[in-house]
Amino acid sequence: MYKYDQYDQSIVDARVDEFRDQARRRLAGEITEDQFKPLRLKNGLYLQLHAYMLRVAIPYGTLDSRQMRKLAYIARTYDRGYGHFTTRQNIQYNWIKLEEAPDILADLATVEMHAIQTSGESIRNVSSDQYAGASADEIADPRPWAELIRQATTFHPEFSYLPRKFKIAVIASAEDRAAMRLHDIGLRLVANDAGDLGFEVYVGGGMGRTPFIAPLIRAFLPVDHLFSYCEAVLRVWNRTARRDNIHKQRVKILVHQMGAEAFAAAVEAEWQEILPNKSDVPRAEFDRIAAYFTPPAFEAGDREPDRADPDFAVWLDQNVKPHKHPGYAIVNISLKPIGGIPGDASADQIDLMADLAERHSFDELRVTHAQNIVLPHVRKADLYTIWQALVDAGLAESNLDLISDIIACPGLDYCSLANARSIPVAQKIATRFAGRQRDLGELKLKISGCINACGHHHAGHIGILGVDKKGTENYQLLLGGSGAEDASLGKITGPGFSEDGIVDAIERVTDQYIAVRQDGERFLDTYRRVGMDGFKEAIYG
Amino acid sequence: MTDLLRFRTDAAHEEPAVSLDAFVEGQANASAVRLEAGDDARVLIPYLDRIMLVEIGFPKFRDGRGYSSARILREAGYTGELRAAGDVLVDQIDFMRRCGFDAFAPDAPIDEAVLTRSLERYDYHYQPAADAIVPVWKLRHG
Ligand code: HEM
Ligand code: SF4
């Protein structure tokens, strides 16, 4: 894992001091809320329905037990004893006081963490594959590149007052576990015929009210030019995006309006202008960063766990994934207990996961974009012990990628922009389908409480969108989306439903799937084969 | 309009700035030009050796186009005064300095004490820009 040196620490400490000063000026009335808003948003502080919400960056979703324990400490000390892991691999606290926010940042800085650029019109925390460094299908660990981007985009002077937010994801395998093509820039590390490493560069993906899957704008960018090329993308966008309509300022709109080819040409031209600035990070610096990501000292030996306990065997089959090193496995800890709040974890649970990582996973944890936690490097021999500890903590739900492994946004329970509640719908669906979720197989269900799409509903195999219908909460149903390597956007089935009606509608959808599925087909495969027509009658009669 | 803040030692350039359109349409001998946020700074590149002041307008502090305009001019070798005018707030000036601005004409007065602290706050910066600051990666590797 990356460790700060004196420079990284100095920058984060200075940021705490800066924010303390900004908060003081706001509390003293020296600056208006309007002037303070972009400043606090550059630091992850949102004003919500009931309190401030603070979003803490977990760069590319990787953290160690010391950092995880600090997150638990913050939940206990400054919040109501829990935190909420997000779809961009961060954590949010929902009950924060402005007066205490600078102290939280100071606490975070002691464990090399921060909330820099986690909201607002800035380059956000870089996301990546939660299995990075552990999965057999990657060509290299993508995280050194993610860390390089983190540093180079932190307080970038030219790109700190962007038209809108800007999100970057980096992956290094064919399977996409990070919704890479739903980011403003998606990068996939690949090798060319000569064996050199480069990036496929996708630009202009995003959710929100106008979702797009990012088109490829460059098939092979030599790795040494990663940063200057990103700067070119940012500069073209910063200079030419609209500034008169907040809903049309994301880079996805620009790429769509110009067309991917013309946009790519503009970026190439700008890149030629930027190259002489020599802003690319040199290979020696990359090597320094990469040295922090060398694989841990795996032990030899491969012993399959004893499957005698049937509940344990179910968990093994559902939540444990193959590791690139024999004798090891990747453990997914579900934060989706049936009937719980997706992505929430109590301070005690966070501490327990930290303990398990320290004892059994080379001190590493990952946050996933599906709002779960991963222990990336676990000896197979330790799996049973870990499972027992998770059972005791209420963290052993065996539902990875099943219908109850729901992504849901905070919705009307917390969010000032919401049209409808998301959490109760998620709870009802999980409860209704828990008994037959294994039969339904992989089924990614995602819920947003409004058109902003924080809950990724466009990318759900089944998506749910909360809308306001003449003052009452109403839910639209979408089918056929995917955030994975086969990315697609879901389509609305037709008229919406009430809160209970949507749960019934999903039951009709899944019944229809079971009736028409062919051997080995996932829900998504069946939908793609039979289309919306194959479901419409079942849904609306 | 409040006091002009300058980080240059030469005298402030007093000639009134002409708009980019006026400059292009016949006043190319003017030595001071004002760019609006959406103007293409690259149009000025052929004339940079005789321009002494470029003023870039910030209609709203959230409109960040002027940061790119400034860098483009500095990267093209412009050494004259580069002035940020309009909705320029104290928390933006550090970034603006890094993009090459060396004069500020803010709509509202800037608190000098807050500004001084803000300009001195960060000892290190991760990336090179249009100023002389050495990026952290260079410090790390000499
Ligand atoms: C509760 C406070 C929140 C507010 C006020 C909020 C606000 C927004 C808004 C306004 C957008 C639309 C941006 C756009 O289309 O340009 C958005 C998008 C998004 N938000 Fe949130 N959000 C909140 C919480 C969350 C949470 C908890 C998550 C993660 C679970 C999240 C993840 C996302 C994602 C992934 C997007 C889509 C990004 C894209 O369009 O590419 N947000 N949010
Ligand atoms: S999707 Fe809408 S309701 Fe849900 S968190 Fe985002 S802004 Fe709030």
Side-chain angles (χ1 to χ4, degrees):
Chain A
M1 253 189 74
Y2 187 71
K3 293 270 176 276
Y4 283 8
D5 65 3
Q6 51 163 321
Y7 303 112
D8 301 301
Q9 192 66 50
S10 162
I11 288 169
V12 168
D13 288 344
R15 179 62 186 140
V16 175
D17 181 65
E18 181 174 37
F19 188 74
R20 202 179 279 287
D21 185 54
Q22 290 168 343
R24 177 197 60 75
R25 280 185 277 145
R26 174 70 196 119
L27 289 165
E30 290 172 28
I31 49 177
T32 65
E33 174 54 24
D34 203 39
Q35 292 170 341
F36 182 55
K37 190 175 170 191
L39 302 178
R40 63 171 165 76
L41 284 181
K42 285 194 187 313
N43 224 26
L45 203 61
Y46 284 84
L47 191 52
Q48 282 307 294
L49 282 178
H50 315 289
Y52 280 97
M53 175 203 94
L54 179 69
R55 185 179 293 153
V56 175
I58 301 176
Y60 34 92
T62 294
L63 72 176
D64 64 19
S65 61
R66 190 177 60 122
Q67 294 172 321
M68 191 75 164
R69 288 196 188 99
K70 188 61 80 179
L71 297 180
Y73 169 83
I74 289 167
R76 253 184 223 113
T77 312
Y78 303 103
D79 201 295
R80 298 186 174 176
Y82 56 90
H84 178 75
F85 290 94
T86 79
T87 48
R88 292 207 71 260
Q89 303 177 296
N90 295 320
I91 186 168
Q92 293 183 177
Y93 297 103
N94 282 315
W95 303 96
I96 296 301
K97 296 186 194 70
L98 177 57
E99 295 81 342
E100 293 183 339
D103 295 333
I104 302 177
L105 298 183
D107 283 334
L108 288 169
T110 65
V111 294
E112 305 175 15
M113 293 184 87
H114 59 74
I116 295 166
Q117 293 171 199
T118 54
S119 54
E121 322 310 3
S122 48
I123 305 173
R124 303 290 187 87
N125 184 27
V126 184
S127 57
S128 187
D129 185 342
Q130 67 268 19
Y131 295 168
S135 155
D137 64 349
E138 70 185 13
I139 71 166
D141 191 330
R143 291 173 302 160
W145 299 108
E147 173 61 24
L148 185 150
I149 296 171
R150 181 191 76 83
Q151 295 187 21
T153 57
T154 295
F155 304 134
H156 194 294
E158 185 179 344
F159 305 127
S160 288
Y161 288 87
L162 291 166
R164 277 306 261 123
K165 58 178 158 184
F166 198 82
K167 305 178 177 182
I168 303 177
V170 196
I171 65 172
S173 50
E175 199 176 314
D176 179 3
R177 289 171 285 260
M180 180 269 288
R181 291 184 68 191
L182 290 163
H183 284 74
D184 296 283
I185 295 184
L187 298 163
R188 187 205 303 278
L189 192 66
V190 292
N192 66 9
D193 293 341
D196 300 324
L197 289 180
F199 290 100
E200 287 175 1
V201 184
Y202 298 84
V203 179
M207 318 252 188
R209 65 187 64 212
T210 24
F212 285 106
I213 293 166
L216 183 71
I217 69 152
R218 201 171 212 278
F220 191 83
L221 173 72
V223 285
D224 289 330
H225 289 305
L226 175 60
F227 184 54
S228 60
Y229 194 83
C230 288
E231 281 189 304
V233 170
L234 280 151
R235 186 179 278 179
V236 167
W237 173 54
N238 191 41
R239 298 186 76 215
T240 46
R242 290 173 62 163
R243 297 270 179 170
D244 60 341
N245 181 340
I246 185 120
H247 301 307
K248 297 195 164 27
Q249 294 177 191
R250 293 278 303 266
V251 73
K252 62 189 177 184
I253 305 286
L254 184 66
V255 173
H256 177 68
Q257 284 169 350
M258 288 177 74
E261 229 167 281
F263 181 80
V267 170
E268 289 294 320
E270 190 64 57
W271 189 40
Q272 294 309 318
E273 301 282 345
I274 283 179
L275 274 174
N277 301 342
K278 301 204 183 317
S279 54
D280 274 311
V281 180
R283 187 54 76 94
E285 172 63 359
F286 173 78
D287 292 342
R288 184 193 73 88
I289 294 172
Y292 288 105
F293 294 92
T294 45
F298 295 120
E299 293 168 25
D302 188 0
R303 209 188 83 204
E304 288 305 317
D306 178 356
R307 298 173 59 93
D309 184 327
D311 290 337
F312 172 61
V314 168
W315 179 79
L316 267 186
D317 293 339
Q318 200 65 49
N319 286 27
V320 178
K321 298 290 165 189
H323 194 280
K324 67 171 150 194
H325 195 87
Y328 283 78
I330 301 172
V331 167
N332 285 277
I333 302 174
S334 170
L335 299 184
K336 319 290 176 63
I338 305 300
I341 297 176
D344 270 16
S346 71
D348 290 346
Q349 288 176 323
I350 295 173
D351 273 337
L352 175 96
M353 293 187 276
D355 291 346
L356 292 175
E358 187 172 34
R359 255 179 270 142
H360 301 291
S361 185
F362 294 96
D363 207 28
E364 254 193 73
L365 303 116
R366 309 286 173 78
V367 182
T368 83
H369 93 272
Q371 304 181 277
N372 293 316
I373 300 293
V374 162
L375 301 177
H377 309 298
V378 174
R379 276 198 321 154
K380 288 182 189 165
D382 296 342
L383 286 168
Y384 191 67
T385 312
I386 289 176
W387 177 74
Q388 285 177 308
L390 292 174
V391 170
D392 290 343
L395 290 169
E397 200 65 54
S398 304
N399 60 351
L400 186 74
D401 294 336
L402 301 181
I403 191 171
S404 67
D405 185 9
I406 296 169
I407 292 181
C409 80
L412 199 53
D413 291 298
Y414 295 100
C415 178
S416 49
L417 304 175
N419 286 326
R421 286 169 302 162
S422 307
I423 294 168
V425 177
Q427 290 167 323
K428 283 184 182 175
I429 292 171
T431 309
R432 171 88 60 102
F433 295 96
R436 51 196 178 94
Q437 58 180 347
R438 239 164 291 288
D439 178 41
L440 293 172
E442 182 185 304
L443 211 176
K444 298 185 183 178
L445 194 142
K446 311 188 184 200
I447 310 175
S448 305
C450 82
I451 195 75
N452 285 318
C454 302
H456 286 198
H457 66 273
H458 301 294
H461 298 178
I462 296 179
I464 297 174
L465 166 63
V467 293
D468 178 278
K469 197 176 164 195
K470 301 197 185 90
T472 57
E473 296 167 59
N474 192 267
Y475 296 89
Q476 291 184 339
L477 180 61
L478 293 88
L479 302 180
S482 169
E485 59 283 357
D486 58 353
S488 59
L489 300 172
K491 286 204 178 60
I492 294 177
T493 55
F497 303 90
S498 68
E499 185 177 315
D500 288 316
I502 188 76
V503 186
D504 295 336
I506 288 170
E507 179 143 21
R508 295 195 291 277
V509 168
T510 51
D511 284 349
Q512 175 69 2
Y513 158 62
I514 287 174
V516 302
R517 72 177 163 193
Q518 295 175 353
D519 276 356
E521 263 184 353
R522 301 172 302 164
F523 170 80
L524 184 63
D525 305 323
T526 302
Y527 172 82
R528 285 180 176 165
R529 180 170 55 77
V530 306
M532 185 65 84
D533 286 347
F535 282 94
K536 209 150 186 176
E537 198 179 317
I539 299 170
Y540 293 103
Chain B
M1 183 65 81
T2 57
D3 288 349
L4 183 64
L5 268 165
R6 283 182 101 246
F7 294 81
R8 297 177 64 92
T9 49
D10 57 354
H13 191 73
E14 296 301 347
E15 192 191 316
V18 303
S19 72
L20 182 63
D21 282 351
F23 183 83
V24 174
E25 288 158 20
Q27 293 190 41
N29 55 349
S31 61
V33 187
R34 176 174 164 100
L35 297 181
E36 302 306 332
D39 286 343
D40 180 3
R42 288 209 166 97
V43 174
L44 291 181
I45 289 178
Y47 314 100
L48 291 181
D49 50 351
R50 43 197 169 81
I51 298 175
M52 299 178 68
L53 167 68
V54 177
E55 178 176 288
I56 298 180
F58 284 82
K60 284 181 296 198
F61 68 88
R62 309 180 73 145
D63 185 334
R65 287 177 284 186
Y67 294 83
S68 288
S69 304
R71 276 196 76 175
I72 283 168
L73 293 174
R74 289 303 188 208
E75 283 161 14
Y78 176 63
T79 55
E81 179 170 334
L82 193 49
R83 189 183 290 176
D87 196 8
V88 173
L89 306 176
V90 66
D91 292 284
Q92 274 97 54
I93 289 186
D94 191 26
F95 287 139
M96 288 182 168
R97 294 278 294 127
R98 294 218 63 210
C99 288
F101 286 104
D102 52 14
F104 302 89
D107 286 343
I110 299 264
D111 184 324
E112 294 270 356
V114 174
L115 177 62
T116 307
R117 237 179 309 147
S118 126
L119 293 178
E120 289 171 355
R121 184 168 281 122
Y122 288 93
D123 290 333
Y124 304 110
H125 296 81
Y126 280 121
Q127 58 294 96
D131 54 3
I133 283 172
V134 177
V136 163
W137 51 255
K138 213 170 224 164
L139 297 174
R140 282 176 177 144
H141 299 279

